[in-house]
Amino acid sequence: MASSSNVRGSAYADRRSTGPKDTTVTRTRVASGRAERGAQTPRQAPAGNDGAPRRNASVSMKPNGGDVDRRTERVTVTNRETVSIRTRSPVKEGVEEYVSERRDKERDSRDRERAGSRTGPSATRREKDAPQAPWKPQASIIPHTTAPLASRISVPPLASQAPATLQPRPLNQLSADVQEAAILEDLLFIFMGYEGQYIRFVESYNPAIEKDRLMGAGFRILPGLDPSLRDLTNSMLKMATHYGAVEAFVEVQSREEFGAVNHALCAAIRKLLKDYLILIAQLEHQFLTNPSFTLHVLHLHTLPTSRMMFQLYSLAHEILRRNSLLEDDLEDSVDDFDDVENILESLREGGDLGPGSIPGKKICKGGSVLGLLTRRLASMSGDPAARTLLTTLLREASRPYMVMLNEWLHHGGIKDPHAEFLVKEQKSIRRERLEEDYTDEYWEKRYTIRENDVPPQLEGLKEKVLLAGKYLNVVRECGGVDVSKEVGDVPRTFEDVRFLENVNEAYAHANSSLLNLLLTTYALPARLRSLKHYFFLDRSDFFSYFLELGASELKKPAKAVNVGKLQSLLDLVLRQPGSVAAQDPFKEDVKVQMNEVGLTKWLMRVVTVSGIEQDGSGGSGGLDNYQTPAAPSSTAEDDKNVTGFTALQLDYSVPFPLSLVISRKTVLRYQLLFRYLLSLRHLETLLVGSWQDHAKVASWKHKSSNPKLEMWKRRAWILRARMLVFVQQLLYFCTAEVIEPNWQGLMARLNGSGNSENDEKEGQGRVSRTVDELMQDHVDFLDTCLKECMLTNSKLLKIHAKIMTTCMMFATYTAHLSRALLSADPDLASNPPTASTGGTTPSASTSYDPARFDKLVDNLQKYEDNFSRHLKILLDALGYYAATETVVLLGLCARLSTANEGTPGGGFGGVGSAA
């Protein structure tokens, strides 16, 4: 600062010494005021450095040194006065005097230094008066930062650190005009962020500390200044504070971690700061050349710029507070440091966790900056200057954001190296994981919305923006989008009138492209029909044949079943000519699996994981959160009860992008319904086999002389018939009244003939059906089937499981009663049937045992009581839930009531025979 002032002072001294050639003037100073300056005539002598008139002691006008008369002297002085009056003002005369005195003071200091060095060690007193060493401030280059345009020159030393010989003359020793001149010169430096001679940084400000620079420098005026000048100067110092803070803000926010939107905002502010410096240069020119330029004129010239600087300063401080750069809020930072997924994602991609790159750290960037600018623009709309300024900043800052938005809308790609776009991509979730993804993680979590970083302009369109990019991303991965094709004629800023139209058109195009890809290229309807054949046992002649072929293997415990053998049998059956599966092009995608967890236990786990019943929907809440059944932690008894029939399930592999619609989450639902229908079909087969035994085994066909035994047989037949009616009615209800109507509704919506609320929407870019609606329709279809089949209600599940277990045990029990009937029937015990008569040859130890009959009666009574009691409880529960939740259960309640009407005199034998 001192060196700059010296240069300026030297320029003033050179201007003052300009005069005619071959002329030498020796000046003397007279201690007098500047009171007569206004009344000077062209013949008066100009003022000296201290404001007094200058007088010539001697004048030499000839090369040989001859003197001239007094008249010649006056002419010479008059010519010099004429030049001075044209180019000098009272303020600049004070400036020249101030600069000349400072130069004389520095010259005297240097002379004393030279004299002290020549004197030697003998002059000890003069050495004490001489300065210890000359002051040599140095500048250095600071290291690079990620802000490419940041200043790399070190901070200049403070004026308070300068030696006493360079300190200016106290203000109280200067006249008012000289004070104004000195303050004017200081202000021009202060406006550019440097200290002046009489205006300096406050003691608490350290320009080497970034936080202090961001807060803005405080200034103090040395004592002795006139009060009127002090007040006016203090009012202008605020602009210097704002300029320094904004300049530091631009350097900090231009760093890489603050994102492209902040970089664009800083570039726009940097243009304004350039205009600001041009204004300072113009003011300096006025200061040097305009005689009427005063402190008041300077204040009037800087008023509009001061208001602009205040707007920039307040905007910068709000952004810095959100970035936690102005205050130490470590507690808030720790509380917000919970974005574990983003931290792990950053580490997977090889990133570091340095300052600014921590995913959980609060950084105001991207949409947050645009939202802040938009809200300030709305609040400042009554100020024309502020509105114009903020509109310009918003327009420039939104340009890189619009580039990312157009890339996402028209190419389905994200070019967001600083994580500031409203759509967040989890690159660790890859397409290859779809085969094991039971939660639709790829579709639901690979692309998500940053809720806190959505600009207000996109708040109502964020779902469309997300879906448009997701759809195009899928089409692009299938080769349906030309990424190399540049997008032209798209809006570049938010204020473009085509902005809304651009989003709607991109959304409609992306949706139609993906729908056409799924329905036409990848034949989604045919895939769904194939799933219906295999998982819902639709026209399942092939599957009945498969169960017959694999019966010996499926009777084994689940852990002992040979899955490879079952897969071979299934492939053989699927290729059997004449079956519905023989012409299915997707039969290669069906696989056999063994689930060692029982169906009821698995469903109870799903229900209790997230409380499926509590949300009242009975829908997908638990299934979405429940991925795959864990390894069975049950006891050995539970494992023993799980046979191949109860553990059998099918799997279905689906290629991308069909795996988005037929995902692992939906395949899980298909498997649950398949296992339930298979359990009903298997139980029906057991009961029918039991009826066949009753019809052909001699111990059952023989009409005993004991009427009680005949009554017992009739009761057993009635109970078997009631159970068979129960199973058949339940199976019919699930297939004909639940699955088939819902399937027809799904196909109607898939073909576009369903009633959709979106069909009546008007406006350009509106679509009647979307891919997400299609996916949701598919999931809703499966959830409805699960709910109406009573697989999402824990109470109904428990009652149903008890009835099914009773029926299973009874079918197994009656199939092995031939020997017990021989010993309980006195006729057969004395004359046992032979194999030729349809009986079995008993062992020699078989004899009539009256106690065996009593045991048969007790066992049958237990089965009857158990089945009747649980069936009544089930009917009551169905009536309650039909009235409160699922109306369709009312039909099932009416159908099952027939199974509860059997009496010993009833005619259920016909039902069994018909079966």
Side-chain angles (χ1 to χ4, degrees):
M1 181 64 199
S3 60
S4 300
S5 300
N6 290 342
V7 174
R8 191 183 298 273
S10 177
Y12 285 127
D14 292 342
R15 292 174 61 92
R16 293 179 58 230
S17 61
T18 303
K21 295 183 180 180
D22 301 328
T23 302
T24 303
V25 180
T26 304
R27 304 182 185 89
T28 60
R29 298 173 184 172
V30 179
S32 63
R34 301 175 60 189
E36 297 180 357
R37 185 187 304 111
Q40 280 183 352
T41 63
R43 299 181 58 85
Q44 284 182 313
N49 290 341
D50 55 356
R54 286 200 301 271
R55 303 180 187 275
N56 296 334
S58 61
V59 178
S60 178
M61 299 295 295
K62 296 181 180 180
N64 57 6
D67 294 335
V68 297
D69 57 6
R70 185 176 183 80
R71 180 172 174 275
T72 303
E73 178 184 0
R74 288 179 180 176
V75 171
T76 303
V77 173
T78 300
N79 291 339
R80 293 175 59 84
E81 283 185 1
T82 301
V83 176
S84 299
I85 290 173
R86 287 178 181 176
T87 59
R88 296 183 180 179
S89 66
V91 174
K92 286 203 289 293
E93 288 178 1
V95 171
E96 292 176 358
E97 178 185 353
Y98 155 68
V99 172
S100 178
E101 288 181 359
R102 193 171 63 193
R103 293 184 65 225
D104 293 342
K105 193 173 183 179
E106 294 176 356
R107 190 185 308 110
D108 293 342
S109 176
R110 288 195 296 271
D111 292 341
R112 285 195 299 270
E113 292 177 12
R114 297 192 192 99
S117 61
R118 291 195 301 266
T119 305
S122 59
T124 56
R125 185 174 182 180
R126 193 170 297 175
E127 286 180 354
K128 292 181 180 179
D129 296 336
Q132 297 294 330
W135 190 52
K136 297 180 179 180
Q138 294 181 350
S140 60
I141 301 297
I142 61 177
H144 279 288
T145 64
T146 55
L149 299 181
S151 175
R152 296 188 58 205
I153 303 175
S154 60
V155 179
L158 299 177
S160 58
Q161 299 174 356
T165 56
L166 297 181
Q167 298 298 330
R169 183 178 176 183
L171 284 171
N172 53 16
Q173 298 180 12
L174 303 178
S175 63
D177 292 335
V178 177
Q179 286 183 5
E180 185 176 10
I183 293 300
L184 270 173
E185 184 186 27
D186 275 6
L187 282 175
L188 292 175
F189 283 93
I190 291 297
F191 287 160
M192 294 186 293
Y194 301 102
E195 286 184 291
Q197 289 291 318
Y198 296 102
I199 304 177
R200 300 180 179 180
F201 296 141
V202 295
E203 298 294 337
S204 59
Y205 176 74
N206 186 355
I209 299 177
E210 182 181 278
K211 183 179 176 181
D212 286 358
R213 295 200 307 274
L214 292 173
M215 291 293 295
F219 296 96
R220 60 185 177 89
I221 304 175
L222 296 185
L225 184 63
D226 184 80
S228 62
L229 297 178
R230 177 180 293 276
D231 294 339
L232 196 56
T233 303
N234 283 329
S235 64
M236 287 187 287
L237 289 179
K238 294 180 181 179
M239 186 177 73
T241 300
H242 297 163
Y243 168 76
V246 171
E247 187 179 36
F249 166 82
V250 169
E251 291 194 358
V252 170
Q253 292 294 117
S254 297
R255 294 173 185 168
E256 181 182 6
E257 61 265 21
F258 291 103
V261 173
N262 272 319
H263 297 170
L265 176 63
C266 291
I269 295 178
R270 193 178 285 111
K271 290 181 182 178
L272 298 175
L273 295 184
K274 180 180 178 181
D275 296 339
Y276 170 84
L277 293 178
I278 292 175
L279 173 65
I280 301 303
Q282 293 172 346
L283 292 176
E284 183 181 15
H285 177 72
Q286 291 292 317
F287 171 68
L288 295 176
T289 59
N290 188 357
S292 61
F293 188 78
T294 62
L295 198 61
H296 287 276
V297 175
L298 176 65
H299 181 244
L300 291 177
H301 278 301
T302 56
L303 276 178
T305 306
S306 177
R307 288 193 289 269
M308 180 198 73
M309 277 297 165
F310 173 73
Q311 292 294 336
L312 293 177
Y313 175 79
S314 57
L315 172 65
H317 264 227
E318 188 167 353
I319 295 177
L320 291 173
R321 277 195 297 270
R322 296 197 179 194
N323 286 333
S324 305
L325 293 178
L326 293 182
E327 59 273 345
D328 298 330
D329 53 348
L330 296 179
E331 294 182 0
D332 294 341
S333 299
V334 171
D335 293 339
D336 293 338
F337 196 77
D338 57 354
D339 199 351
V340 180
E341 289 186 2
N342 286 341
I343 296 172
L344 295 177
E345 181 74 17
S346 177
L347 292 176
R348 288 191 196 102
E349 296 175 3
D352 56 1
L353 294 181
S357 63
I358 299 177
K361 184 179 178 182
K362 292 192 302 183
I363 293 183
C364 183
K365 59 184 179 181
S368 299
V369 175
L370 298 178
L372 190 150
L373 284 170
T374 304
R375 287 187 291 272
R376 288 189 65 85
L377 178 59
S379 63
M380 296 289 179
S381 58
D383 185 350
R387 183 176 66 248
T388 303
L389 172 66
L390 292 173
T391 301
T392 302
L393 294 178
L394 178 61
R395 180 175 60 250
E396 297 301 322
S398 64
R399 291 186 185 277
Y401 199 89
M402 287 298 298
V403 171
M404 292 185 282
L405 179 62
N406 289 325
E407 175 67 22
W408 173 251
L409 288 176
H410 299 284
H411 285 161
I414 293 182
K415 295 182 179 179
D416 184 20
H418 304 102
E420 53 187 335
F421 189 50
L422 82 158
V423 178
K424 177 177 65 175
E425 179 183 12
Q426 292 280 10
K427 294 183 179 180
S428 60
I429 303 176
R430 295 181 175 86
R431 195 175 77 183
E432 292 76 13
R433 296 174 55 182
L434 282 173
E435 296 181 359
E436 301 175 356
D437 182 10
Y438 282 87
T439 58
D440 276 357
E441 190 177 55
Y442 179 84
W443 185 253
E444 300 292 340
K445 296 184 180 180
R446 178 172 171 83
Y447 297 106
T448 54
I449 294 178
R450 294 185 173 96
E451 295 293 344
N452 297 328
D453 294 334
V454 179
Q457 294 84 352
L458 291 172
E459 185 63 39
L461 301 171
K462 60 182 180 181
E463 293 298 334
K464 281 190 175 182
V465 171
L466 174 65
L467 293 179
K470 286 170 69 173
Y471 296 164
L472 271 188
N473 187 271
V474 174
V475 179
R476 179 171 58 88
E477 292 196 18
C478 298
V481 176
D482 186 5
V483 182
S484 61
K485 182 180 178 181
E486 293 189 5
V487 180
D489 194 24
V490 292
R492 305 295 181 185
T493 60
F494 285 145
E495 60 187 18
D496 196 311
V497 293
R498 301 170 299 164
F499 171 71
L500 183 62
E501 178 185 350
N502 177 51
V503 175
N504 288 330
E505 288 183 351
Y507 173 69
H509 170 70
N511 179 73
S512 61
S513 299
L514 184 54
L515 270 179
N516 182 67
L517 186 73
L518 292 174
L519 299 178
T520 306
T521 307
Y522 287 90
L524 176 61
R527 283 279 182 179
L528 293 176
R529 283 191 293 269
S530 176
L531 282 167
K532 182 188 178 187
H533 292 327
Y534 297 127
F535 287 89
F536 297 156
L537 306 180
D538 177 44
R539 295 188 292 176
S540 58
D541 55 331
F542 68 93
F543 196 75
S544 299
Y545 185 37
F546 166 72
L547 292 179
E548 292 178 8
L549 293 178
S552 60
E553 195 71 28
L554 292 173
K555 290 179 181 179
K556 300 177 182 179
K559 292 183 178 180
V561 173
N562 188 341
V563 179
K565 182 178 179 180
L566 291 178
Q567 183 65 49
S568 300
L569 292 175
L570 180 62
D571 294 340
L572 179 65
V573 169
L574 293 179
R575 288 167 176 79
Q576 187 74 21
S579 67
V580 68
Q583 304 300 324
D584 187 6
F586 312 117
K587 56 179 175 291
E588 300 292 340
D589 297 328
V590 183
K591 306 296 179 184
V592 174
Q593 285 184 347
M594 283 291 147
N595 193 333
E596 298 178 2
V597 181
L599 175 63
T600 303
K601 188 174 182 181
W602 192 10
L603 287 170
M604 289 301 297
R605 285 184 183 179
V606 174
V607 171
T608 55
V609 160
S610 63
I612 245 181
E613 324 167 80
Q614 295 178 5
D615 57 8
S617 62
S620 59
L623 296 174
D624 291 348
N625 299 324
Y626 190 78
Q627 298 185 6
T628 182
S633 58
S634 56
T635 61
E637 183 180 357
D638 295 332
D639 294 337
K640 185 174 61 178
N641 293 333
V642 179
T643 62
F645 281 107
T646 57
L648 176 66
Q649 69 180 21
L650 298 180
D651 195 13
Y652 197 84
S653 57
V654 186
F656 185 84
L658 287 178
S659 53
L660 297 176
V661 180
I662 309 173
S663 62
R664 296 307 306 175
K665 182 173 67 175
T666 57
V667 171
L668 172 62
R669 290 166 165 81
Y670 277 109
Q671 289 175 339
L672 292 174
L673 288 169
F674 169 78
R675 293 186 67 185
Y676 179 64
L677 295 177
L678 178 61
S679 66
L680 293 176
R681 183 70 62 86
H682 177 57
L683 181 56
E684 181 188 18
T685 303
L686 290 178
L687 291 173
V688 170
S690 175
W691 168 78
Q692 292 174 347
D693 290 340
H694 296 173
K696 67 182 179 180
V697 176
S699 57
W700 286 96
K701 294 191 300 180
H702 175 71
K703 187 173 182 179
S704 176
S705 59
N706 186 354
K708 293 183 179 180
L709 181 60
E710 287 300 313
M711 183 59 68
W712 180 90
K713 289 181 182 180
R714 181 176 291 274
R715 288 173 57 191
W717 290 335
I718 291 175
L719 181 59
R720 182 255 306 159
R722 291 174 60 196
M723 291 181 176
L724 188 58
V725 168
F726 168 79
V727 174
Q728 289 175 338
Q729 293 293 345
L730 190 57
L731 185 60
Y732 175 83
F733 169 78
C734 292
T735 54
E737 296 189 10
V738 173
I739 294 178
E740 191 62 30
N742 287 298
W743 170 263
Q744 295 301 330
L746 173 64
M747 288 295 102
R749 290 190 295 270
L750 185 63
N751 296 328
S753 59
N755 295 326
S756 175
E757 296 179 358
N758 292 330
D759 291 340
E760 300 177 358
K761 288 184 178 179
E762 298 179 356
Q764 190 173 10
R766 301 288 186 180
V767 291
S768 60
R769 297 291 296 167
T770 67
V771 177
D772 266 67
E773 288 175 351
L774 172 61
M775 297 168 62
Q776 190 59 44
D777 286 341
H778 188 212
V779 174
D780 290 344
F781 157 70
L782 294 171
D783 288 340
T784 303
C785 292
L786 286 170
K787 181 179 181 181
E788 294 182 355
C789 289
M790 305 175 294
L791 301 182
T792 59
N793 190 303
S794 60
K795 296 181 179 62
L796 294 178
L797 270 177
K798 292 177 182 178
I799 301 171
H800 179 268
K802 291 179 180 179
I803 297 179
M804 294 288 288
T805 303
T806 302
C807 295
M808 186 80 67
M809 292 178 63
F810 180 77
T812 307
Y813 172 71
T814 57
H816 300 85
L817 280 181
S818 299
R819 186 182 300 274
L821 284 176
L822 289 176
S823 59
D825 191 344
D827 300 338
L828 295 179
S830 59
N831 187 19
T834 61
S836 60
T837 58
T840 58
T841 304
S843 61
S845 59
T846 302
S847 59
Y848 175 68
D849 186 4
R852 178 65 62 89
F853 175 74
D854 296 336
K855 187 174 182 181
L856 290 176
V857 172
D858 292 340
N859 290 338
L860 183 61
Q861 186 66 41
K862 290 179 182 178
Y863 280 115
E864 287 178 337
D865 295 343
N866 202 339
F867 179 77
S868 300
R869 183 175 68 255
H870 288 104
L871 182 58
K872 186 178 184 304
I873 296 174
L874 177 63
L875 291 174
D876 293 341
L878 287 176
Y880 171 76
Y881 287 112
T884 56
E885 292 182 11
T886 312
V887 181
V888 72
L889 294 178
L890 193 59
L892 176 63
C893 186
R895 289 179 177 275
L896 293 183
S897 61
T898 59
N900 198 34
E901 294 173 357
T903 61
F908 278 100
V911 177
S913 302

